[in-house]
Amino acid sequence: MSKLTQSVAWTKLQTHATRVRATHMRDLFEADPQRAARYTLTAAGITLDYSKNWLVDETLPLLVSLAEQEQVGASIERMFLGERINNTEDRAAFHVALRANAPMHTAGRDVVPDVVRVRAAMRSFVDSVRDGTAKGHTGKPMRAIVNIGIGGSDLGPLMATEALAPYRHPRLTPYFVSNVDGTHLSEVLKRVDPETTLFIVASKTFTTQETIANALSAREWLVSALGSEQAVGRHFVALSTNLQATAQFGIDARNVFEFWDWVGGRYSVWSAVGLSLALAIGMDEFEQMLAGARAMDEHFKSAPLEANMPVVLALLGIWCTNFFGTRSLAILPYDQYLARFPAYLQQLEMESNGKRVRRDGEPVDYATCPVIWGEPGTNGQHAFYQLLHQGSEIIPADFIAPVRTHNPLGQHHRLLLANFIAQTEALMRGKTSAEVRAELVKQGLTGAALEALVPHKVFLGNRPSNSIVLEQLTPHTLGALIALYEHKVYVQGSIWGINSFDQWGVELGKQLAQRVLDDLAGPDEPSEHDASTQGLIKRMLLADRAAPLAVAKKGPLS
Ligand code: G6Q
């Protein structure tokens, strides 16, 4: 048994959970008209109503004791002090410095001047593309922005560019190519004109197979369409920490926007990796997003644990996962612009905390990150909410909604909000058999026919959810929302004792594919594999012999 599960705070919570399990949220609401007010927090333009959780008076203090016992306050300080909290990669996780407006030191150095310098370079580039002074090889202003990147170099800018679509420049259409499946790039290239397309190659390491393959193919397409290698200089920029590799790729140093090893991939949207987003919405709005995140950072740094929104959100997650055994978390944005937010959080949460060993290498004996998934409401309601309401597994959910819409259209927004609110109410209240009977009687049913239907129409309720409400989805509130989840993830990682900032599981995939790629390139003896893997390789090689699977060229990736 680990120290954590044997600790005072943990065992107290275990005992407490037994008591709470015997309560129903419906009764708790009836007993306390102040419940919602007591369990609501506001910070950085975001309101979190967490009253529809398994909470009685003692719960939050006990959860806060766990946070205190695991020294969450000190962890927060360590992050803002730029300490090497990413211990397995021996570096800081200092994304907060990317949105700071005062000196921030790591390794004895204030990094903010560098951040400001790159941001100034981004601004002049962004302005020149947006006002049309930056021209393509044939003298035309840019119309398409194609971000080539994957994982952390894709999901953040993609999600935010969609989320902030109302702020987009009318001439510029953003595209995102991530998958090494040639279909992804090909479908984008079909839609853009080489004369007016800007490619942004986003890669922290600049060695990621998918990104380099896509970038090389895009370059080939551009050069062949415009008939000159010279075109690359005007149509390609890079975002990277690896300036040597960007030079090798042939991107002029003036077209490289730098960031640093203390910026984790999934925490990089605030850095030069946000260039595609900045081009779409403009630098002023991009800086508004940074300001929103900064407001959440200030709150996170200074609010007491029990009133600290990221801390409370983290503790509620731990309460559900570790003391009630829930295994996934649904992210349900009631805003079409946030359609990619669940996918973004999948990476943020699962890549950060999907780990089974602690910082010191000891295996955990408790659950860590749940599976994160979700879709925008109301669509999800007509698909998987059935399971949320009546499934055999309890799935906590975060509902996210803006009070105001960018697209007032008849009754639409009122309908949307009504659905959001009603769903959280239904999950919490449920429907008792007495209520179902009364309803069926009203419909004219009686006797056996009525009784046969009752069990199907009963909803147990008592299913937890958080309601996260923004005044409107703006760059500022989006920044605060992302920072809220970033910090939540860090707090959970701190309590679980894991390093939220490495990703060895991702590295494995990068290595494995290279071995199989060599085998598929044949004709040498294939390397050792199990029978299934061997069989799959053979199947592809046979097909390749009949008709080549790839353009037969030994490029830098074959
Ligand atoms: C993020 C991960 C991972 C990474 C991609 C792309 O935190 O490290 O998703 O972002 O593998 O890596 P590059 O930016 O180096 O191409």
Side-chain angles (χ1 to χ4, degrees):
M1 294 271 270
S2 69
K3 276 198 201 142
L4 181 62
T5 52
Q6 284 178 309
S7 67
V8 176
W10 190 277
T11 46
K12 275 192 182 165
L13 278 163
Q14 265 172 335
T15 315
H16 179 64
T18 322
R19 213 196 104 205
V20 175
R21 241 175 245 127
T23 63
H24 194 294
M25 277 187 246
R26 195 191 312 128
D27 303 325
L28 298 172
F29 270 98
E30 268 161 31
D32 177 10
Q34 293 307 311
R35 183 175 172 87
R38 281 204 297 133
Y39 294 133
T40 294
L41 289 173
T42 300
I46 296 183
T47 303
L48 165 68
D49 174 347
Y50 61 99
S51 59
K52 293 183 180 107
N53 271 284
W54 295 309
L55 300 173
V56 298
D57 285 351
E58 301 82 13
T59 317
L60 193 60
L62 285 172
L63 285 166
V64 168
S65 301
L66 176 68
E68 281 165 354
Q69 174 190 284
E70 297 309 309
Q71 304 188 356
V72 165
S75 292
I76 298 173
E77 267 176 38
R78 277 206 295 280
M79 169 185 265
F80 285 92
L81 286 173
E83 288 186 19
R84 293 170 182 259
I85 54 178
N86 178 354
N87 63 313
T88 59
E89 294 180 317
D90 193 26
R91 53 194 182 211
F94 211 27
H95 39 280
V96 288
L98 295 167
R99 52 229 192 188
N101 58 2
M104 299 276 288
H105 292 79
T106 182
R109 189 160 177 269
D110 178 10
V111 297
V112 174
D114 282 341
V115 171
V116 170
R117 171 179 53 79
V118 174
R119 211 181 301 137
M122 283 169 71
R123 180 177 279 278
S124 77
F125 181 72
V126 163
D127 288 351
S128 69
V129 173
R130 287 168 63 91
D131 68 18
T133 50
K135 303 236 174 3
H137 183 64
T138 57
K140 295 185 179 168
M142 297 301 173
R143 295 194 164 275
I145 309 293
V146 181
N147 187 83
I148 297 178
I150 196 163
S153 299
D154 168 68
L155 286 161
L158 165 59
M159 175 278 289
T161 303
E162 269 198 23
L164 300 175
Y167 298 84
R168 270 195 215 156
H169 191 286
R171 179 173 27 84
L172 300 173
T173 308
Y175 298 90
F176 290 83
V177 174
S178 50
N179 201 336
V180 76
D181 182 345
T183 298
H184 205 176
L185 179 64
S186 303
E187 283 299 329
V188 169
L189 296 183
K190 278 181 205 166
R191 275 178 278 157
V192 300
D193 174 354
E195 289 184 82
T196 56
T197 299
L198 174 71
F199 292 97
I200 300 176
V201 187
S203 177
K204 181 175 169 179
T205 55
F206 228 77
T207 55
T208 303
Q209 194 186 58
E210 293 91 330
T211 301
I212 302 302
N214 278 322
L216 287 170
S217 297
R219 187 170 70 174
E220 218 170 278
W221 173 83
L222 183 93
V223 169
S224 103
L226 299 185
S228 163
E229 278 283 338
Q230 301 293 313
V232 174
R234 288 185 177 272
H235 290 264
F236 270 80
V237 298
L239 322 172
S240 190
T241 57
N242 187 348
L243 306 188
Q244 218 178 333
T246 54
Q248 261 166 26
F249 187 91
I251 298 182
D252 193 297
R254 281 167 305 179
N255 289 340
V256 179
F257 298 88
E258 174 197 6
F259 57 110
W260 308 273
D261 73 348
W262 45 262
V263 182
R266 55 195 173 277
Y267 297 89
S268 64
V269 66
W270 322 99
S271 72
V273 169
L275 186 69
S276 49
L277 167 66
L279 282 162
I281 66 173
M283 215 48 204
D284 289 346
E285 298 296 1
F286 184 75
E287 288 185 354
Q288 274 303 306
M289 191 177 93
L290 300 182
R294 185 162 62 242
M296 186 55 77
D297 293 345
E298 297 296 335
H299 165 80
F300 183 51
K301 217 166 37 171
S302 57
L305 297 181
E306 68 280 5
N308 192 311
M309 197 182 285
V311 173
V312 169
L313 200 58
L315 289 172
L316 293 167
I318 285 186
W319 185 225
C320 292
T321 304
N322 297 109
F323 299 92
F324 287 79
T326 62
R327 296 182 302 173
S328 82
L329 170 68
I331 304 294
L332 309 170
Y334 277 67
D335 188 319
Q336 194 57 35
Y337 287 129
L338 286 175
R340 294 296 291 169
F341 196 62
Y344 173 77
L345 285 191
Q346 273 179 335
Q347 181 188 32
L348 181 64
E349 299 222 9
M350 299 206 281
E351 202 167 277
S352 298
N353 286 339
K355 292 166 190 168
R356 51 164 291 280
V357 294
R358 295 172 56 89
R359 285 179 165 275
D360 57 10
E362 283 301 308
V364 297
D365 60 353
Y366 43 85
T368 60
C369 188
V371 173
I372 307 290
W373 59 285
E375 276 289 319
T378 58
N379 297 15
Q381 289 175 211
H382 299 266
F384 54 79
Y385 277 38
Q386 164 62 39
L387 186 149
L388 298 187
H389 286 290
Q390 290 187 307
S392 54
E393 178 159 344
I394 295 183
I395 301 186
D398 285 0
F399 287 77
I400 305 169
V403 177
R404 285 181 202 291
T405 174
H406 285 284
N407 300 296
L409 183 66
Q411 290 292 311
H412 287 245
H413 197 58
R414 197 168 285 162
L415 285 168
L416 180 73
L417 293 181
N419 274 283
F420 142 56
I421 297 167
Q423 288 293 329
T424 69
E425 186 181 34
L427 285 166
M428 182 279 285
R429 275 189 57 79
K431 201 184 270 181
T432 63
S433 49
E435 286 167 341
V436 171
R437 277 199 184 88
E439 210 176 81
L440 292 175
V441 167
K442 252 195 201 160
Q443 290 166 16
L445 263 86
T446 50
L450 180 147
E451 287 307 324
L453 267 184
V454 171
H456 299 281
K457 300 198 109 186
V458 165
F459 293 74
L460 296 178
N462 207 28
R463 303 202 162 198
S465 69
N466 293 311
S467 297
I468 296 173
V469 178
L470 325 171
E471 175 61 21
Q472 187 167 35
L473 186 60
T474 63
H476 198 279
T477 54
L478 180 68
L481 182 69
I482 302 172
L484 166 64
Y485 277 96
E486 283 181 349
H487 295 324
K488 170 209 158 177
V489 163
Y490 178 49
V491 171
Q492 291 192 330
S494 303
I495 293 175
W496 287 324
I498 56 187
N499 176 6
S500 303
F501 302 108
D502 59 10
Q503 55 283 312
W504 300 104
V506 180
E507 310 302 329
L508 174 74
K510 293 187 181 183
Q511 290 160 13
L512 290 181
Q514 190 57 51
R515 246 181 100 209
V516 176
L517 184 64
D518 292 343
D519 292 338
L520 285 180
D524 310 335
E525 228 358 67
S527 39
E528 285 268 309
H529 296 283
D530 60 85
S532 162
T533 310
Q534 204 74 264
L536 290 166
I537 292 172
K538 269 197 195 133
R539 167 82 181 77
M540 301 307 167
L541 285 175
L542 272 178
D544 194 42
R545 236 166 269 153
L549 295 180
V551 182
K553 194 179 72 170
K554 276 223 163 199
L557 288 158
S558 57

